[in-house]
């Protein structure tokens, strides 16, 4: 596309407040080098992204005036520099850059043949080299020991996962810095036991999150007892049985030990498939928030809800939130259009449904400022109200874009059309990613997670360490008169304030960390958001070190009963290394979102 001159007004009108930690992250990965070798400034980065994505307006309206393109660019620039909304991290790096690759992840299918497996491996290498992650459903692969055409026997899905893991590691070492995969196997696959124990038995797979795809019937039998048929994916015939209660016990034990596997609730996911005429949902992206069809990608972003709070009234500024939703939806539909695609199949599948996955970040910060404890009935109610409003606002804009630009191509035969829904530009508009990197850039809490720690040391990939203390806690400590350097040191050491006597109880009630909240409290918040999200929610259910495998199993059962589409449990200390210490020890490796 021809670039029209970029007015300097986009640089001069705004001066975003960038913390030292945010600046470190931006320098480390997202600020591009100028021709003289120096790095662009954060404002220049946001300008680059805003202008590049606004250029899509000229695709849809070739006669649009330069002034109109500028107006859209300014609106995108403003919501980013005000930290009201940020697109997923690959868009910050890719928009207007050499790769122009703006999507975080894609799903690649694997069929049961050497040709298909290694063709998918080739595609995965290309996708990873462009900075995106991948999701794989390995359930079509024949089980270990099955005869193959050469006269030998199959080595099974886990062995091929190791090959994909090695490819990912090599590509990462080549300089992309990203490389994450989701590996999923159905609960009725004959190799399910080997898959479940893959992380703890030395299979490696450090570049994989793994999840067991479970059905409603499997979960029912895990509660009531009985046997469950295993099915040979090649012949479709019964290949043995498994006791669901015992298998779920084993999954829980492995998750207790390593943080993997998680669960994906396949029937729940499929019930929300907007385009069943195109096939069943294949698997999710690496962190689990985007259940996708083969070859699809999803355009993710996070609305900082804490930036939409009227601090004087301690209430949500709904009109400001509506405006942000409208701009964000248009911005991400544009991003989908101007992005490059590593493979032609990815472009075709993605543009057929045009799925967006806009969610939130800063939820825990909002709760703190509203004096609402995370996991309380009030927090659940707020979660539902927020996400319902965001879903409705995004859908309104997608309908408007559908009239302006045309509905997504698969709409006429979609479930939405069958249900009489208005024509939309996008098959989905909501998902909730971890949003960890963009939250760090915006200086807010990640996704819908609670505060991981009031104070913590952040270990970056290059080995450096950054210390952070929650700014609202510091403000409150000073205003209420209990601040001291000794207090700061103790909070840095402990992460939580619950055992610190000088902190007032009212403050303790609001500043709950991930390990101060019960598994049920975590799941209730996830479920509340999921009620109004079309795709899925990426969330980690953090458990204390002293939690038992039975606690993990109880969380799995509650998540299934609560309408969640997936669940990940992570017990503090079950892995040697963690991104945050002591508070945030995430079970899921993944892309920076």
């Amino acid at each position: 596309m021809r670039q029209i001159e970029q007015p300097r007004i986009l640089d001069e009108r705004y001066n975003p407040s960038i913390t030292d930690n945010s600046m470190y992250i931006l320098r480390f990965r997202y600020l591009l080098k100028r021709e003289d070798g120096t790095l662009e400034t954060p404002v220049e980065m946001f300008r680059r992204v805003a202008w590049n994505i606004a250029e899509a307006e000229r695709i849809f309206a070739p006669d649009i005036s330069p002034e109109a393109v500028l107006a859209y660019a300014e609106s995108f620039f403003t919501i980013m520099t005000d930290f009201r909304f940020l697109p997923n991290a690959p868009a910050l790096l890719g928009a207007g850059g050499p790769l122009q690759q703006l999507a975080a992840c894609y799903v690649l299918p694997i069929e049961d043949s050497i040709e298909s497996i290694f063709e998918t491996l080739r595609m995965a290498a290309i996708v990873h080299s462009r900075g995106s992650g991948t999701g794989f459903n390995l359930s079509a692969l024949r089980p270990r020991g099955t005869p193959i055409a050469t006269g030998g026997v199959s080595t099974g899905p886990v062995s091929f996962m190791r090959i994909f893991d090695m490819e990912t590691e090599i590509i990462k070492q080549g300089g992309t810095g990203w490389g994450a995969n989701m590996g999923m196997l159905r609960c009725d696959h004959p190799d399910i036991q080997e898959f479940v124990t893959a992380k703890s038995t030395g299979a490696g797979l450090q570049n994989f999150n793994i999840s067991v795809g479970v059905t409603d019937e499997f979960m029912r039998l895990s509660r009531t007892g009985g046997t469950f048929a295993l099915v040979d994916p090649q012949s479709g015939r019964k290949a043995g049985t498994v006791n669901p209660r015992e298998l779920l016990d084993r999954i829980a034990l492995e998750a207790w030990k390593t943080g993997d596997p998680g669960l994906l609730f396949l029937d729940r996911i499929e019930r929300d498939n907007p385009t069943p005429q195109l096939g069943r949902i294949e698997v999710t992206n690496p962190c689990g928030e985007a259940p996708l069809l083969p070859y699809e990608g999803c355009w993710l972003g996070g609305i900082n809800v804490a930036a939409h709070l009227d601090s004087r009234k301690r209430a949500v500024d709904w009109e400001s939130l509506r405006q942000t939703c409208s701009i964000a939806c248009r911005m991400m539909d544009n991003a989908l259009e101007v992005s490059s695609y590593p493979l032609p199949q990815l472009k075709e599948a993605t543009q057929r449904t045009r799925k967006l996955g806009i969610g939130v970040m800063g939820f825990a910060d909002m709760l703190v400022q509203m004096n609402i404890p995370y996991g309380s009935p009030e927090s659940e109610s707020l979660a539902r109200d927020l996400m319902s409003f965001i879903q409705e606002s995004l859908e309104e804009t997608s309908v408007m874009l559908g009239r302006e630009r045309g509905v997504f191509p698969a709409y006429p035969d979609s479930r939405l059309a069958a249900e009489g829904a208005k024509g939309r530009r996008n098959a989905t508009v909501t998902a909730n990613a971890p949003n960890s990197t963009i939250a760090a850039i915006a200086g807010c809490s990640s996704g819908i997670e609670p505060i991981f720690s009031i104070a913590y040391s952040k270990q970056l990939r290059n080995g450096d360490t950054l210390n952070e203390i929650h700014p609202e806690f510091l403000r409150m400590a000073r205003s209420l008169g209990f601040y001291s350097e000794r207090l700061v040191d103790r909070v840095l050491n402990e992460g939580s304030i619950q055992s610190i006597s000088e902190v007032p109880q009212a403050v303790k009630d609001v500043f709950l960390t991930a390990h101060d909240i019960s598994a049920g409290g975590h799941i209730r918040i996830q479920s509340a958001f999921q009620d109004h999200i079309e795709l899925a929610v990426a969330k980690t259910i953090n458990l204390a070190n002293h939690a038992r495998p039975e606690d993990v199993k109880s969380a799995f059962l509650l998540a299934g009963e609560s309408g969640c589409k997936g669940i990940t449990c992570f017990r503090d200390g079950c892995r040697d290394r963690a991104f945050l210490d002591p508070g945030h020890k995430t079970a899921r490796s993944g892309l920076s979102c």
Side-chain angles (χ1 to χ4, degrees):
M1 291 181 293
R2 177 181 62 87
Q3 291 273 344
I4 58 180
E5 184 180 356
Q6 302 178 24
R8 293 189 61 194
I9 190 170
L10 292 180
D11 277 359
E12 296 171 348
R13 285 186 57 181
Y14 301 97
N15 182 26
S17 176
I18 304 288
T19 67
D20 290 343
N21 287 351
S22 300
M23 192 64 198
Y24 190 100
I25 293 168
L26 290 172
R27 284 199 189 104
F28 182 63
R29 181 64 184 170
Y30 300 99
L31 302 181
L32 300 185
K33 284 186 178 181
R34 304 186 185 98
E35 291 184 1
D36 63 3
T38 60
L39 292 177
E40 65 184 353
T41 66
V43 167
E44 288 170 337
M45 177 195 72
F46 290 125
R47 179 189 185 209
R48 164 174 56 79
V49 173
W51 198 267
N52 179 265
I53 293 177
E55 282 281 302
E57 299 293 334
R58 300 175 62 239
I59 297 174
F60 304 119
D63 297 330
I64 192 171
S65 68
E67 293 75 19
V69 176
L70 171 61
Y72 285 118
E74 284 190 311
S75 67
F76 302 157
F77 182 80
T78 301
I79 61 171
M80 289 190 291
T81 53
D82 287 349
F83 297 124
R84 287 187 281 147
F85 172 82
L86 288 177
N88 57 212
L92 297 179
L93 176 64
L99 292 179
Q100 193 60 30
Q101 207 300 111
L102 313 187
C105 46
Y106 295 97
V107 161
L108 298 178
I110 305 178
E111 299 300 326
D112 186 43
S113 70
I114 285 294
E115 292 80 7
S116 173
I117 293 168
F118 282 90
E119 173 60 16
T120 300
L121 181 68
R122 181 191 72 84
M123 292 190 290
I126 294 172
V127 170
H128 293 154
S129 70
R130 302 289 183 89
S132 291
T134 44
F136 306 102
N137 180 357
L138 299 121
S139 303
L141 300 185
R142 69 189 72 187
R144 178 182 291 275
T146 304
I148 57 178
T150 61
V153 295
S154 171
T155 55
V158 173
S159 67
F160 289 108
M161 286 178 69
R162 293 192 187 101
I163 298 173
F164 281 80
D165 187 62
M166 184 179 299
E167 167 271 315
T168 308
E169 188 63 27
I170 292 170
I171 295 296
K172 282 170 59 180
Q173 291 177 5
T176 66
W178 283 324
N181 305 295
M182 169 64 78
M184 190 270 280
L185 198 70
R186 287 178 57 95
C187 57
D188 56 6
H189 193 282
D191 282 3
I192 190 62
Q193 297 279 2
E194 181 185 4
F195 178 81
V196 166
T197 59
K199 286 287 185 86
S200 66
T201 54
L205 307 181
Q206 67 266 30
N207 298 299
F208 267 91
N209 297 324
I210 65 172
S211 288
V212 176
V214 296
T215 63
D216 289 349
E217 176 69 2
F218 177 89
M219 294 303 293
R220 183 185 70 79
L221 292 172
S222 71
R223 292 187 294 271
T224 64
T227 59
F228 187 77
L230 299 177
V231 179
D232 185 326
Q234 187 180 28
S235 67
R237 292 192 292 267
K238 183 176 178 180
T241 61
V242 68
N243 183 314
R245 181 174 291 170
E246 293 177 357
L247 179 55
L248 192 62
D249 285 341
R250 188 59 194 235
I251 297 170
L253 175 63
E254 294 299 315
W256 178 85
K257 289 193 288 187
T258 70
D260 276 301
L263 298 183
L264 293 176
F265 300 103
L266 300 180
D267 293 327
R268 172 71 180 87
I269 287 171
E270 189 58 34
R271 283 193 287 273
D272 278 356
N273 181 356
T275 55
Q277 79 276 12
L278 299 179
R280 292 183 63 86
I281 296 297
E282 182 83 355
V283 68
T284 71
N285 65 331
C287 292
E289 71 273 8
L292 299 171
L293 295 168
Y295 297 113
E296 278 189 327
C298 185
W299 265 246
L300 305 170
I303 295 170
N304 180 6
V305 291
H308 295 83
L309 190 66
D310 186 326
S311 57
R312 293 170 300 174
K313 299 179 181 179
R314 293 187 180 272
V316 180
D317 185 339
W318 297 105
E319 182 54 35
S320 170
L321 184 57
R322 185 187 301 278
Q323 291 174 3
T324 296
C325 288
S326 178
I327 297 169
C329 186
R330 189 179 196 100
M331 180 178 179
M332 297 315 291
D333 190 67
N334 282 12
L336 189 152
E337 194 69 23
V338 299
S339 178
S340 68
Y341 292 83
L343 298 163
Q345 301 98 312
L346 304 180
K347 181 175 183 178
E348 179 183 358
T350 299
Q351 295 198 345
R352 189 168 54 212
T353 55
R354 306 188 69 87
K355 289 179 178 175
L356 307 183
I358 297 172
V360 310
M361 53 187 177
F363 179 63
D365 294 336
M366 172 178 271
L367 292 178
V368 165
Q369 294 178 55
M370 296 178 74
N371 289 321
I372 298 174
Y374 190 104
S376 66
E378 294 84 359
S379 67
E380 290 181 62
S381 178
L382 179 61
R384 286 192 171 87
D385 289 346
L386 270 175
M387 206 63 228
S388 174
F389 185 87
I390 290 170
Q391 169 65 38
E392 291 175 4
S393 299
L394 292 170
E395 190 169 357
E396 286 175 3
T397 302
S398 186
V399 169
M400 180 196 71
L401 291 173
R403 292 195 297 266
E404 181 182 318
R405 301 174 172 180
V407 297
F408 65 92
Y411 171 78
D413 297 319
S414 70
R415 178 176 56 82
L416 299 174
E419 293 174 353
K422 294 180 180 178
R424 287 165 43 168
R425 179 66 172 164
N426 316 96
T428 66
V429 290
T430 47
N432 220 94
N435 292 332
S436 55
T437 297
I438 59 173
I441 293 170
C444 66
S445 56
S446 300
I448 65 167
E449 300 287 0
I451 299 167
F452 292 112
S453 184
I454 308 301
Y456 53 79
S457 297
K458 181 180 295 182
Q459 297 174 347
L460 301 176
R461 287 177 177 171
N462 66 352
D464 290 346
T465 299
L466 297 175
N467 293 328
E468 286 197 354
I469 301 175
H470 198 285
E472 185 66 15
F473 175 75
L474 281 179
R475 186 199 65 78
M476 198 172 290
R478 290 188 173 109
S479 66
L480 296 178
F482 63 88
Y483 175 85
S484 69
E485 291 298 324
R486 176 181 171 277
L487 172 68
V488 171
D489 290 341
R490 189 169 175 189
V491 174
L492 269 169
N493 183 58
E494 297 184 18
S496 172
I497 60 173
Q498 299 306 308
S499 64
I500 302 177
S501 59
E502 56 261 46
V503 178
Q505 188 60 47
V507 176
K508 292 180 180 179
D509 290 343
V510 173
F511 283 93
L512 297 171
T513 66
H515 293 134
D516 298 327
I517 299 163
S518 69
H522 282 277
I523 292 169
R524 286 192 295 272
I525 294 297
Q526 179 175 343
S527 175
F529 275 97
Q530 184 63 78
D531 283 349
H532 300 284
I533 285 178
E534 293 177 309
L535 287 170
V537 176
K539 173 147 184 21
T540 299
I541 310 304
N542 293 93
L543 300 172
N545 179 263
H546 58 73
R548 303 164 300 166
E550 305 93 87
D551 298 322
V552 178
K553 181 179 179 180
S554 295
F556 284 165
L557 291 169
L558 179 60
E561 294 165 357
S562 301
C564 297
K565 294 183 179 179
I567 180 173
T568 300
C569 289
F570 187 69
R571 182 176 62 89
D572 184 33
C574 73
R575 285 190 185 175
D576 292 335
R577 296 189 63 189
F579 178 60
L580 298 183
D581 183 35
H584 176 200
K585 297 185 177 179
T586 178
R588 294 283 170 165
S589 63
L591 293 177
S592 300
C593 295

